[in-house]
Amino acid sequence: GENVEQHPSTLSVQEGDSAVIKCTYSDSASNYFPWYKQELGKRPQLIIDIRSNVGEKKDQRIAVTLNKTAKHFSLHITETQPEDSAVYFCAASQPFTGRRALTFGSGTRLQVQP
Amino acid sequence: DGGITQSPKYLFRKEGQNVTLSCEQNLNHDAMYWYRQDPGQGLRLIYYSQIVNDFQKGDIAEGYSVSREKKESFPLTVTSAQKNPTAFYLCASRGGGLAENNEQFFGPGTRLTVL
């Protein structure tokens, strides 16, 4: 089955700096890669996703890049703000398999220091 | 809030007791999922259902059971066979056809604690 590894497990940055979180996946058939933000005690919320037919996607201060050959994808947050502090999860999903459920990375706790 | 609700928000279970967590969605989604989240960890798949009256085991199904009698509802029962059930339980649903990968929407979660 799919295995998703995520690094780093914790990340502390100064307000205004950029943050980068990296994930690798094992199943070359995976074609959908969402990123979720989870605040303490709350549900994960989708912040951006990318499909395997594109290499990069941006949404304001957030961008995701995908390297299918190397089987890794990254989340980039620019001009970080204190409200970006949360746990971020990457995930991968495969088409045409029975479940099409997400396989999650172990999470990155991002702390933005004001 | 995405049209998915879970109840209760907090649940306390005594050892040897079965408990049922509720998950309801009004998004007209065919697929529904149950995940378990332990502190400092990612989400692990317990059970999933792609369509009414059908469900399949995920990666950590032992000690859990589900039903899918209605499209809107996917309750999860934590049985006494689950030896370490204390965790945060998240229900999710996904729209789109079987050949698609689309966003999964999560419910607010149920925090289960064994006394």
Side-chain angles (χ1 to χ4, degrees):
Chain A
E2 176 66 278
N3 181 50
V4 177
E5 295 192 357
Q6 182 171 347
H7 300 281
S9 57
T10 60
L11 180 59
S12 182
V13 300
Q14 291 295 124
E15 183 177 358
D17 287 350
S18 295
V20 180
I21 303 171
K22 299 181 179 181
C23 288
T24 60
Y25 61 99
S26 60
D27 190 337
S28 57
S30 291
N31 72 341
Y32 176 63
F33 307 93
W35 286 89
Y36 284 83
K37 175 183 180 181
Q38 186 179 31
E39 297 177 355
L40 189 62
K42 297 190 176 180
R43 76 185 84 190
Q45 300 265 18
L46 180 74
I47 56 172
I48 195 167
D49 57 13
I50 192 168
R51 300 181 191 278
S52 58
N53 57 347
V54 298
E56 184 176 4
K57 183 177 179 181
K58 290 184 179 179
D59 183 4
Q60 301 184 344
R61 297 185 297 109
I62 295 173
V64 57
T65 58
L66 171 66
N67 183 328
K68 285 192 298 180
T69 302
K71 290 190 283 187
H72 68 71
F73 56 112
S74 301
L75 177 71
H76 304 255
I77 305 174
T78 59
E79 300 173 15
T80 53
Q81 301 167 3
E83 51 266 36
D84 294 330
S85 296
V87 179
Y88 291 81
F89 292 98
C90 63
S93 180
Q94 307 82 40
F96 309 116
T97 59
R99 63 189 203 181
R100 275 175 297 286
L102 296 171
T103 301
F104 284 86
S106 54
T108 296
R109 182 173 301 278
L110 173 65
Q111 188 162 10
V112 180
Q113 307 283 356
Chain B
D1 287 339
I4 301 181
T5 58
Q6 290 183 241
S7 63
K9 186 174 182 179
Y10 298 98
L11 185 58
F12 298 92
R13 193 195 88 169
K14 295 180 181 179
E15 287 194 17
Q17 193 177 45
N18 291 356
V19 292
T20 297
L21 284 59
S22 170
C23 178
E24 304 278 333
Q25 54 98 2
N26 62 3
L27 300 169
N28 199 36
H29 286 169
D30 285 311
M32 296 187 74
Y33 307 86
W34 274 105
Y35 292 90
R36 168 180 171 144
Q37 186 175 30
D38 293 284
Q41 296 187 32
L43 285 69
R44 293 182 291 168
L45 182 67
I46 305 173
Y47 265 97
Y48 65 97
S49 170
Q50 298 289 5
I51 199 167
V52 175
N53 293 321
D54 183 66
F55 51 84
Q56 302 295 331
K57 293 182 179 180
D59 300 318
I60 55 166
E62 185 176 352
Y64 300 97
S65 66
V66 294
S67 63
R68 186 83 187 277
E69 297 176 359
K70 297 187 300 181
K71 188 175 187 178
E72 300 80 17
S73 178
F74 191 40
L76 174 74
T77 296
V78 184
T79 74
S80 58
Q82 172 48 238
K83 298 306 179 187
N84 185 24
T86 295
F88 189 47
Y89 290 87
L90 286 157
C91 179
S93 71
R94 181 185 61 81
L98 292 177
E100 300 177 36
N101 272 307
N102 297 315
E103 178 183 357
Q104 284 190 16
F105 293 87
F106 285 89
T110 292
R111 189 167 299 279
L112 173 62
T113 303
V114 173
L115 301 174

